[in-house]
């Protein structure tokens, strides 16, 4: 009897409710297979909790919590508004193209966000907001969830069969205090109204003119699994029983661990393998919640729920769903049409897969990127749609980026092209293609993705030797790198810190490295020589060996650095401007607001880009007595390019 009681007490609510109560956040139990606050009794089963809004005035008592913890399969909902001190923004449907810019520009960053079947919910500190909804052309654009509203939180199961999941490294139940959440601006609701007003009908505006009231219902709740949820339950059970058939194939970075596997929760921007995958279940230990196999495949690969389920089903080689035999009053029904009663005694109808029966979402709404009140950041067409091979490269980087940064995608594409062409192509005006590119964007906003994409392309093209390292520690390090590879790319993650370090006291080596980079940039068409040191204290043999200088012809370095605005601009000094280093930098700063990470497919580099890199970086082979001479010690054998007069006008050349 005790065992049965203990088994019944196992629920999401029983496991997580105390974490919220400790933080002063009010919670209510959620009925299984629903989004509704519910109450349970053995006699009546699950029914709606018609008076749950009383917990918007106070947190539940210990007695109430102990009672709720015994309810089977109860999920957990957070009551929003003044009592908990939390308000949430809920967005289910994305707007295509640049339509999100105007609205997205208004939505502040939040360190805590969750995802259900679609869209996202972000959490903020309560600032007196009222609950309301915003529609455009009948489609829901944004819900403001405050007093009188609740939201279901992870790892409660969604009615569709998946689990709600945190998509940020921080989770609401692990905050030290709700004071860590940012506030929405005082006039946030008015800002949204002004931005959307030109595109709304009068019917759309009705939702936002009044406070949204909670839906209270005490009727019985059907907690039986739908056909769709039953299908996913069986799929998840089969996957846990056959880990070796799918984990290593479709979970990126998964590694064997004890009796199962471990992987990284990349969807929360984590770095350590904190997700345990075992036959008895899957748990994100960092986030403190469980997952199903379909959940894991979906979030680890950035796939829609339906595609993740289909991929898992393919790996498990599951049979097609059982056919249905349908007969109505002795009359056979075949594909919706009547058949003769004297025909066969039954007919086979194939049960469609769940994703074949899902209702179509509302038609998407397109908002122009510029509005009458607060325009989104307008990105010129030449950035989003550059010419030639740059288009393929830049658009691939943006398409695979968890946080799209079109300006940085183009900057990285230019750096890639410059690296492949430098020391080989020279214009009639003595221009080489070596460039020092610095990408500037807010912290955690996707600066590293363009850098990694450049390295992926060079590796796919067999040109990985062009990547020299992540920076230079001294002038000698710059010279040594050029000796090994006179044409190379340095990918520097913290360019701003490098500049700041080079101008701090006691860091002569870092300062000398910057000076050597300035020199290398100016010697693209000439020769770079090492400094001469005294030989007075050397032996005759040592002096003879030191007397033979090694020179570098046409040193070609490209930099692809990344930094934050505060670090970069704070590290700039007058001498960096005076000595010419700043003038050699191509600084590209992203103007995008903070974004929520997307789930996108990580496709391979475009074949056209890889082929182009191979083709342009094909220096003539050395033969005869020159075959053993390092490339650095020989003048570059260049290919001429003519800059047309029209281009010279753009450059400002006479």
């Amino acid at each position: 009897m005790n065992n049965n009681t203990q088994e019944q007490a196992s629920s999401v609510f029983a496991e997580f409710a105390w974490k919220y109560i400790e933080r002063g956040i009010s919670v209510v139990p959620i009925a299984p297979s629903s989004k509704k606050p519910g109450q349970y009794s053995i006699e009546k089963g699950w029914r709606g909790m018609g008076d749950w809004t009383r917990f918007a005035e106070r947190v539940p008592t210990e007695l109430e919590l102990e009672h709720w913890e015994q309810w089977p399969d109860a999920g957990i909902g957070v009551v929003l508004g003044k009592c908990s001190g939390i308000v949430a923004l809920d967005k289910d449907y994305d707007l295509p193209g640049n339509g999100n810019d105007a609205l997205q520009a208004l939505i502040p960053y939040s360190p805590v966000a969750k995802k259900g079947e679609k869209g996202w919910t972000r959490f903020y500190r309560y600032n007196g907001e009222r609950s309301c909804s915003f529609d455009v052309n009948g489609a829901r654009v944004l819900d403001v969830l405050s007093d009188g509203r609740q939201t279901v939180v992870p790892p409660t199961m969604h009615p569709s069969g998946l689990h709600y999941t945190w998509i940020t490294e921080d989770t609401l139940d692990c905050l030290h205090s709700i004071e860590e959440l940012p506030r929405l601006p005082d006039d946030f609701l008015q800002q949204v109204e002004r931005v959307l007003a030109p595109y709304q009908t009068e019917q759309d505006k009705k939702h936002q003119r009044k406070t949204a009231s909670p839906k209270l219902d005490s009727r019985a709740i059907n907690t039986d699994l739908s056909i769709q949820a039953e299908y996913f339950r069986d799929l998840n059970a089969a996957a846990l029983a056959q880990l070796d058939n799918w984990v290593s194939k479709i979970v990126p970075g998964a590694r064997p661990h004890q009796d199962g596997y471990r992987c990284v929760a990349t969807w929360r921007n984590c770095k350590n393998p904190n997700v345990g995958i075992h036959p008895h279940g899957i748990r994100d230990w960092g986030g403190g919640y469980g997952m199903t196999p379909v959940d894991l495949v979906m979030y680890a690969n950035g796939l829609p729920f339906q595609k993740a389920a289909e991929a898992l089903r393919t790996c498990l080689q599951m049979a097609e769903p059982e056919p249905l035999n349908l007969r109505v009053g002795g009359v056979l029904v075949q594909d919706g049409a009547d058949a003769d009663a004297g025909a066969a005694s039954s007919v086979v109808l194939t049960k469609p897969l769940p994703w074949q029966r899902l209702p179509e979402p509302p038609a998407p709404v397109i908002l122009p990127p510029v509005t009458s009140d607060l325009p989104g950041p307008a990105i010129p067409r030449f950035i989003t749609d550059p010419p030639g091979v740059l288009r393929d490269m830049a658009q691939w980087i943006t398409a695979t980026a968890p946080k799209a940064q079109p300006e940085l995608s183009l900057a990285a594409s230019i750096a890639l092209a410059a690296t492949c062409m430098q020391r080989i192509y020279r214009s009639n005006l003595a221009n080489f293609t070596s460039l020092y590119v610095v990408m500037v964007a807010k912290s955690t906003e996707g600066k590293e993705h363009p850098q990694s994409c450049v390295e992926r392309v060079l590796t796919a093209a067999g040109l990985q030797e062009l990547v020299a390292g992540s920076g230079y520690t001294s002038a000698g390090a710059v010279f040594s790198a050029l000796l090994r590879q006179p044409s190379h790319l340095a990918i520097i993650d913290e360019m701003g810190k490098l500049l700041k370090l080079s101008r701090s006291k006691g860091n002569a080596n870092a300062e000398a490295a910057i000076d050597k980079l300035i020199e290398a940039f100016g010697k693209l068409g000439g020769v770079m020589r090492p400094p001469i040191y005294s030989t007075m204290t050397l032996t005759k043999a040592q002096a003879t060996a030191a007397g033979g200088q090694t020179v570098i012809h046409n040193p070609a370095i490209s930099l692809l650095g990344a930094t934050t605005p505060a670090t970069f601009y704070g590290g700039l000094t007058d001498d960096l401007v005076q000595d010419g280093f700043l003038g050699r930098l191509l600084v590209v700063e992203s103007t995008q607001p903070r974004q929520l990470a997307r789930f996108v497919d990580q496709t391979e580099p475009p074949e056209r880009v890889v082929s182009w890199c191979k083709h342009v970086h094909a220096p003539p082979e050395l033969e005869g007595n020159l075959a053993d001479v390092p490339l650095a010690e020989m003048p570059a054998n260049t290919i001429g390019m003519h800059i047309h007069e029209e281009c010279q006008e753009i450059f400002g050349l006479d």
Side-chain angles (χ1 to χ4, degrees):
M1 184 68 175
N2 291 336
N3 290 339
N4 292 337
T5 303
Q6 182 64 31
E7 184 177 349
Q8 281 190 346
S10 177
S11 69
V12 170
F13 187 90
E15 183 177 358
F16 288 90
W18 63 272
K19 294 185 177 182
Y20 292 95
I21 297 299
E22 282 187 344
R23 290 161 175 78
I25 300 174
S26 187
V27 294
V28 290
I30 300 297
S33 301
S34 78
K35 300 180 182 180
K36 301 177 181 179
Q39 53 189 352
Y40 176 81
S41 68
I42 297 177
E43 298 80 14
K44 297 182 179 180
W46 280 97
R47 304 181 67 85
M49 183 181 286
D51 57 350
W52 69 265
T53 52
R54 67 185 188 275
F55 300 109
E57 305 295 331
R58 64 171 178 85
V59 296
T61 64
E62 289 189 15
L63 184 61
E64 287 169 326
L65 291 171
E66 290 176 1
H67 186 49
W68 295 346
E69 287 174 357
Q70 304 304 313
W71 293 352
D73 302 320
I76 185 167
V78 166
V79 181
L80 302 167
K82 185 176 181 180
C83 179
S84 296
I86 298 173
V87 65
L89 299 182
D90 184 77
K91 189 169 185 294
D92 276 344
Y93 294 104
D94 249 345
L95 310 179
N98 294 326
N100 280 318
D101 289 349
L103 184 59
Q104 191 71 21
L106 296 178
I107 299 177
Y109 166 77
S110 172
V112 179
K114 70 177 176 78
K115 181 179 177 63
E117 186 179 17
K118 54 186 180 294
W120 49 255
T121 303
R122 301 186 193 182
F123 294 88
Y124 303 87
R125 197 144 39 108
Y126 178 77
N127 194 26
E129 296 85 359
R130 60 184 176 84
S131 296
C132 58
S133 301
F134 296 91
D135 287 3
V136 173
N137 293 338
R140 182 60 43 86
V141 172
L142 188 71
D143 278 314
V144 180
L145 308 179
S146 186
D147 285 312
R149 302 295 295 272
Q150 60 85 24
T151 185
V152 184
V153 293
T156 304
M157 180 179 286
H158 190 276
S160 65
L162 60 81
H163 285 75
Y164 289 91
T165 305
W166 297 112
I167 53 176
T168 50
E169 188 168 3
D170 292 328
T171 61
L172 193 59
D173 58 306
C174 290
L175 293 177
H176 293 295
S177 166
I178 60 171
E179 299 296 319
E180 296 181 44
L181 294 173
R183 291 184 186 272
L184 292 170
D186 292 339
D187 61 342
F188 177 75
L189 299 184
Q190 290 77 14
Q191 289 185 40
V192 176
E193 287 180 4
R194 288 195 297 268
V195 167
L196 298 183
Y199 315 105
Q200 292 179 304
T201 65
E202 287 303 313
Q203 185 66 26
D204 293 330
K205 296 178 182 179
K206 287 183 178 180
H207 295 287
Q208 62 205 45
R209 289 172 180 165
K210 59 182 180 180
T211 300
S213 301
K215 296 180 180 180
L216 304 179
D217 190 353
S218 300
R219 293 176 297 178
I221 297 176
N222 180 12
T223 59
D224 293 337
L225 293 177
S226 63
I227 295 177
Q228 176 180 339
E230 284 184 3
Y231 175 84
F232 291 123
R233 178 199 61 191
D234 296 341
L235 177 62
N236 287 319
L240 290 177
Q242 305 174 50
L243 295 181
D244 294 338
N245 289 346
W246 62 276
V247 175
S248 60
K249 297 178 182 177
I250 56 176
V251 179
R255 296 289 183 268
H257 179 78
Q258 297 181 1
D259 60 339
Y261 294 83
R262 284 272 179 146
C263 73
V264 179
T266 53
W267 54 93
R268 294 195 297 109
N269 296 319
C270 296
K271 305 298 182 184
N272 299 318
N274 47 11
V275 179
I277 309 168
H278 299 279
H280 53 75
I282 302 172
R283 188 168 185 83
D284 180 352
W285 296 105
Y289 58 85
M291 305 177 72
T292 67
V294 176
D295 294 334
L296 178 61
V297 174
M298 177 174 65
Y299 290 111
N301 293 277
L303 292 174
F305 183 55
Q306 295 83 0
K307 286 188 176 180
E310 191 167 2
L312 186 59
R313 178 175 171 272
T314 300
C315 288
L316 298 176
Q317 297 182 347
M318 293 183 67
E320 291 293 331
E322 289 291 330
L324 298 178
N325 296 327
L326 182 61
R327 196 167 28 170
V328 180
V331 178
L332 300 178
V333 179
Q334 185 172 9
D335 295 333
D338 292 342
D340 294 335
S345 59
S346 64
V347 66
V348 175
L349 295 179
T350 303
K351 183 169 65 174
L353 296 175
W355 50 82
Q356 296 172 335
R357 296 181 287 100
L358 292 177
E360 291 295 325
V365 180
I366 300 179
L367 293 179
V370 178
T371 69
S372 59
D373 183 74
L374 183 59
I379 302 176
R381 184 176 178 82
F382 70 84
I383 290 179
T384 58
D385 189 26
V389 74
L390 288 179
R391 177 193 297 114
D392 294 353
M393 180 62 185
Q395 292 183 353
W396 170 68
I397 294 176
T398 301
T400 57
K403 297 186 177 182
Q405 298 285 2
E407 300 101 325
L408 306 190
S409 298
L410 181 57
S413 302
I414 292 173
L416 171 67
T419 302
C420 293
M421 298 177 66
Q422 63 193 14
R423 209 172 184 265
I424 299 174
Y425 296 85
R426 178 178 180 173
S427 78
N428 59 309
L429 300 177
N431 304 112
F432 284 86
T433 64
S434 300
L435 296 173
Y436 293 175
V437 180
V438 180
M439 301 184 296
V440 182
K442 301 179 183 71
S443 177
T444 72
E445 288 304 301
K447 300 182 294 297
E448 299 82 4
H449 179 72
Q451 292 178 317
S452 65
C453 285
V454 168
E455 195 159 0
R456 285 180 62 189
V457 171
L458 291 174
T459 300
L463 303 175
Q464 57 268 26
E465 74 278 358
L466 293 181
V467 182
S470 59
Y472 308 95
T473 58
S474 64
V478 177
F479 201 86
S480 298
L482 285 168
L483 281 176
R484 289 191 301 270
Q485 181 56 267
S487 172
H488 66 252
L489 170 70
I491 298 177
I492 304 175
D493 288 336
E494 294 295 343
M495 190 73 179
K497 290 183 179 178
L498 174 65
L499 296 179
K500 187 176 182 180
L501 184 65
S502 71
R503 292 307 182 256
S504 59
K505 292 182 178 180
N507 284 285
N509 285 339
E511 182 178 2
I514 297 295
D515 294 340
K516 190 60 66 174
L517 288 173
I518 297 172
E519 179 187 351
F521 197 90
K523 294 293 181 64
L524 286 168
V527 177
M528 188 173 178
R529 304 178 185 275
I532 299 175
Y533 299 97
S534 172
T535 60
M536 295 293 292
T537 60
L538 302 180
T539 65
K540 184 177 181 180
Q542 290 172 331
T544 301
Q549 286 191 4
T550 300
V551 299
I552 299 173
H553 290 268
N554 309 108
I557 298 176
S558 280
L559 303 180
L560 182 57
T563 183
T564 60
T567 304
F568 179 67
Y569 297 119
L572 297 181
T573 59
D574 292 342
D575 54 341
L576 281 172
V577 178
Q578 294 169 1
D579 63 18
F581 185 68
L582 182 61
R584 287 163 170 78
L585 298 182
L586 178 60
V587 181
V588 180
E589 182 172 359
S590 168
T591 58
Q592 300 301 304
R594 287 197 176 275
Q595 305 175 47
L596 189 68
R598 306 180 302 170
F599 298 102
V600 291
D601 293 337
Q602 295 300 308
T603 58
E604 294 301 316
E607 181 58 35
R608 183 189 178 201
V609 174
V610 175
S611 299
W612 182 89
C613 292
K614 292 179 181 179
H615 178 72
V616 300
H617 189 79
E621 295 183 2
L622 300 176
E623 299 178 355
N625 295 335
L626 300 178
D628 295 329
V629 178
L631 286 175
E633 299 181 22
M634 293 188 59
N637 187 6
T638 59
I639 299 173
M641 297 186 300
H642 182 75
I643 297 182
H644 295 283
E645 294 181 0
E646 293 85 352
C647 297
Q648 295 184 28
E649 292 178 2
I650 296 175
F651 293 155
L653 302 175
D654 293 329

